[in-house]
Structure formats: structure tokens, C-alpha cells
Amino acid sequence: MRIRSLGVIDDAVVELSPGFTAVTGETGAGKTMVVTSLGLLLGGRADPALVRIGAKAAVVEGRIVMRPDAPAALRAEEAGAELDDGALLISRTVSAEGRSRAHVGGRSVPVGLLAELADDLVAVHGQTDQQGLLRPARQRQALDRYAGDAVAGPLEKYAAAHRRLRAVAGELEEITTRARERAQEADLLRFGLDEIAAVEPLSGEDTELAAEAERLGHAESLSSAAQVAHAALAGNVEDPEGVDAGALVAGAHRALESVRSHDPALGALAERIGELGILLGDVAGELAGYADDLDADPLRLAAVEERRAALTQLIRKYGSGDGGVDSVLEWAERGSVRLLELDGDDERIDELTAERDGLRLELSALAQALTDARNEAATRFASAVTEELASLAMPHARVTIDVRQTEDPEGVEVGGRLVAYGPSGVDEVELLLAPHPGAQPRPIAKGASGGELSRVMLAVEVVFAGSDPVPTYLFDEVDAGVGGKAAVEVGRRLAKLAKVAQVVVVTHLPQVAAFADRQLLVEKTNDGSVTRSGVTVLEGEARIRELSRMLAGHEDSASARAHAEELLAAARSSE
């Protein structure tokens, strides 16, 4: 992550370890700016007061490595972003005037998208900023993952039955609530089908009748033209001496036949003229037959026009101009199928009602199995978290998980009660905390102070380790009110969590920092006119000096150095 012109930080690069990164430094050095920078990348509120004095804008850029099939990667791709060699590049700019811009994978995006991505990227636990597992929906999901196959099996069957029940209930509601509309639709379909059946249209009939009407309407002119053409080709019986095309072609053929033996080329022409004479004879015969067969009966024309009018009315009401009678026949086919569906409503209602009742009984049994499995997992989880808290300077705290249901007269029966149900079962899951004996268990966000809350969430995350899909955890002030042995236990548990996820911790405690895979020092410098903070990766001697400062207030104390070396050695030996 690169930070520019944000608060006291002028320009710094923060390299976070894949495991456990501890961010340390003097009070006021700018550690909070590291957390704030992450917050900006995660869609946090843009405060122009954070922009460094004299700068036009503050810029935070991050490179997040993730799998191409990770939920955040898929969501970013939906927004048009692209991964760069397996990493998603995110930037956030906040101007001194208060304007804010965000870019993801080279594409300008709404700031709200960063918040969407954050849900799948980072769980933040701090004094004032809590995300992730504080949401009841995420708590139920995490508990289900913690429970494993004991919940996964019944949940899969329940979800399938729930989807089918919704589909059945939706169809049943449509049939029953729209009974009147469906009855009217059936009447209209029945009327239309009867009207079409009365006419009995045939496929393509309108086209054939149009051609016949055109022919009958011009019967006299067609007959006259055919007779004239026939006379021109075959001669006129009333004028035996007249010249016709057939006679002329026959004369030409005779003239060439008499000399064709003298020249093959002329013989070929004679054959072609002979074929022409045959063709003229055939055409003349067809013309004679056409004239004889032509029906000029006005009664037939009237019948054709009446039939066409009936077909046109059907097309106007049930078909389309382009489709003609065929579109009417298609409508009738679809209407017949739909009418069968509508006429079978009563039978279908009985079938759907029976299926719905059976699914509700199945859901009741599956929901009870889910509730039992969740209660068993909740007991194990609460015991494990309470045990963790005892080692985190909260020996009297007790965590429980409330698995409850909401009564609903329209719900399914579970445990002798009708309760509300949804796609994940009938249970509402909430983590409760009683910080000391006699205290009433309350939701963890309300039952713990700011310093306690981070430790509670650390204990929760350690127990949930591997169950929650979020790849990165950020803890700010997780060590508030902790010291001595408890601080060592906090560090040890953070290191344990870092085995399955990336962990970033802002801390004042050397016992915690010693367990980190990488320690970052945020250090303030002042040249007399300008104050700046930088971020440095501490290794070897530099890390021992910083741990000594955190232990004794200054880095040159021999006893503090020895203690720092001892802390590092103890942390490494516990891995």
C-alpha cells in the first residue's frame, strides 16, 4: 500500500506480510493514518481534513493479491476491472475540497463498490470501527461453517425444499388469486377457437383465394388475350388463309430440310427450328386449353370474395397481416394448449396444495435438524471463545450464542410452534457477551467496552479461524487494557490466526509485536518547519531497538534489549 499526503504521512509504502504484520510507533507518529488508509481503500468516509497541509489531494493505492475466482475479484470484474498478474489494484483520491474518486483495476468506479469489495476482503475490529462478524447474518453463516457437515447436509436439503416450496406457493397463489382473470381468459380463448373452427381455415388458403379472385375478376380480358395469342401461334379457324407463327416456322424448317445434307451447320439450325415449332405447338395447345377452362362464373367470384372476407376477419382478430391464415392457425394451436391449462385449474390446485403441504412438513423436519445442529455447534463455539477470553485478561467473561426463532402464524412448525422461515432455515443467530458474573448477556457490540471488544472479536476470529472466508483481519488497539502475561497470549493468538489468514495489528505492546512475521515502524521526523511520518520495515537490530523502546521507553537500555531478545526468542519457539 502506498500513502501520499495523508495527515502527517508525506509519502510512504506499507508492505504487509502475508501472515502477521504489527504496526508500531510512538503515540502521535501516524499509526492511525495506516488504519485510515486501509479504511479509505475499503470505501470509508473521505474527510478532507485528512489531506496534508499544502497538498491538493491525498492518495492511497493498494495492491491486493487474490484468486481470480474470489468473490471480490468476480465483483470487480462485473464492474469492468481487470486483475493485474493475480492482483487487484485499488486507489482512492481525496481532494482538499472534499471530492473523492475511486479506481479499481484501472477502471473508475463509485466509492460504494469499494465498500462492497471490503465485505469479502477485510474484517476490521477497532475501537470505533467494527465490521464482519458483528452482523447477525454473517454470524449465522460463520456458525454454519464452524459446524461443518452437521449443518451443511440438512441446509442443502432445506434450501432445495425451500426453493421448491416458493415456486409451488407462487404458482398456487397465482391460480387462486387470479381465478377470475383466468376464467375470463378461458372464455375468450374458447370463443376465439369456436370462431376459427366455424370458418375452418386451411394453411395458405388466403393466398390461393387471392390469386383465384384476381383471375376471376379479369376472366374476359384473360380469355380474349389467350385467344389472340393462340391465333397468332396456330392460326385462326375463321381465316384459313391467315399467316401464323406456327406456319412460318414450319415453312422455315422445310426450306432448311431440303438442303441440310450439304452443310452440317445448316442442319443444326434446321433441328433447332424444328424444336421451336414443337414448342410453339405445345404453347398454342395450352393457350387453347386455358381459354376453354377459364371459369367466368360471377357466382364463383362472389363465393371466393365472401370466403376471403371471413378469413380476413379472422386474421384481423387472431393473426397478423404478414402471417395471414397461418398466423391464425398458430394462435389456435397456442390457444388450445393454454385452454387445457386453464380448464385444468381445479385439478392443478389440488395437486399444488398437496405438494405444498408435503413440502411444509419436510421443511419442518429439516429446520428442526438445522436448529439442533446449530445449537450443538453454538455450545461448542461459546465454550471455546469463553476459554480464549480467559487467557486474554477477561477471565470472568462468558460468551453464548442465542439461536432463536420468531413466531409467525404463517410459518412452519418447529418444536410445537409456528415460526418464520427463510432460505437458510428458521434460526436467528446472535453472539452474546456477559463481561462479568451477574451481567446480563448482551450482543457483543453492546456488551463490551471499546478495548474489550477487539479482544472478544480476536477470540471469536481465532475460534472461527478457517471458517470465515474473509482473508484479512485488521485489529486496532486490540491490546487496550492488557499487559503482562495476557499481552503474550494476545500475541500468541494473533499469530495463530495468522496461520490461516493475513493479520494486521496496530499495537503498543512489545509482547504482541514480537509475535509478528513483519514489524512496521511509523516514525515522525521534524526538520524545524515540516513534520513528516514514514513507515519502515524493521529487521534484525532495528527491530530489537524498537521493541526495547516499547519496553523501557528508550532503545539503549541493556535490560530492555535483553528482554526484547527474550520476547522474540519466545515468540519464535512457540510457532
Side-chain angles (χ1 to χ4, degrees), residues 500-564:
V500 295
Q502 182 183 39
V503 176
V504 181
V505 179
V506 178
T507 182
H508 291 282
L509 291 181
Q511 295 94 329
V512 173
F515 280 89
D517 299 303
R518 173 173 293 168
Q519 185 172 347
L520 302 180
L521 173 63
V522 181
E523 194 172 20
K524 184 186 296 183
T525 60
N526 192 326
D527 61 5
S529 59
V530 179
T531 300
R532 293 185 174 88
S533 287
V535 181
T536 306
V537 178
L538 298 180
E539 296 178 346
E541 177 63 23
R543 187 173 186 185
I544 293 174
R545 286 174 61 84
E546 171 61 9
L547 290 175
S548 299
R549 181 200 64 76
M550 297 171 73
L551 283 163
H554 57 87
E555 59 270 20
D556 295 325
S557 168
S559 61
R561 285 179 57 84
H563 192 184

Side-chain angles (χ1 to χ4, degrees), residues 422-503:
S424 299
V426 298
D427 304 313
E428 299 174 19
V429 174
E430 189 167 30
L431 275 69
L432 305 177
L433 172 70
H436 52 80
Q440 188 70 22
R442 303 178 63 196
I444 55 176
K446 300 176 181 178
S449 65
E452 291 175 331
L453 184 53
S454 287
R455 276 178 281 157
V456 172
M457 295 313 299
L458 171 58
V460 169
E461 297 290 14
V462 168
V463 175
F464 271 146
S467 297
D468 200 320
V470 177
T472 299
Y473 299 92
L474 172 62
F475 291 92
D476 185 17
E477 304 294 344
V478 69
D479 49 20
V482 176
K485 183 179 178 181
V488 174
E489 293 302 325
V490 169
R492 181 174 286 113
R493 278 150 180 77
L494 287 167
K496 180 180 179 181
L497 181 59
K499 298 295 184 183
V500 295
Q502 182 183 39
V503 176

Side-chain angles (χ1 to χ4, degrees), residues 87-166:
L88 188 64
L89 303 181
I90 299 179
S91 70
R92 180 83 179 275
T93 302
V94 180
S95 71
E97 291 79 23
R99 292 189 300 274
S100 174
R101 290 180 296 160
H103 290 79
V104 176
R107 179 66 60 88
S108 178
V109 298
V111 173
L113 177 64
L114 299 184
E116 292 182 37
L117 299 179
D119 285 342
D120 296 311
L121 291 175
V122 181
V124 180
H125 304 300
Q127 295 273 28
T128 59
D129 189 8
Q130 297 289 337
Q131 299 176 1
L133 282 174
L134 291 188
R135 296 198 298 270
R138 178 65 69 86
Q139 292 175 11
R140 184 183 60 208
Q141 294 169 7
L143 180 63
D144 288 351
R145 284 189 293 271
Y146 177 80
D149 292 340
V151 165
L155 182 58
E156 182 178 358
K157 295 178 181 177
Y158 176 94
H162 181 266
R163 287 193 297 270
R164 178 57 188 163
L165 177 59
R166 290 194 61 177

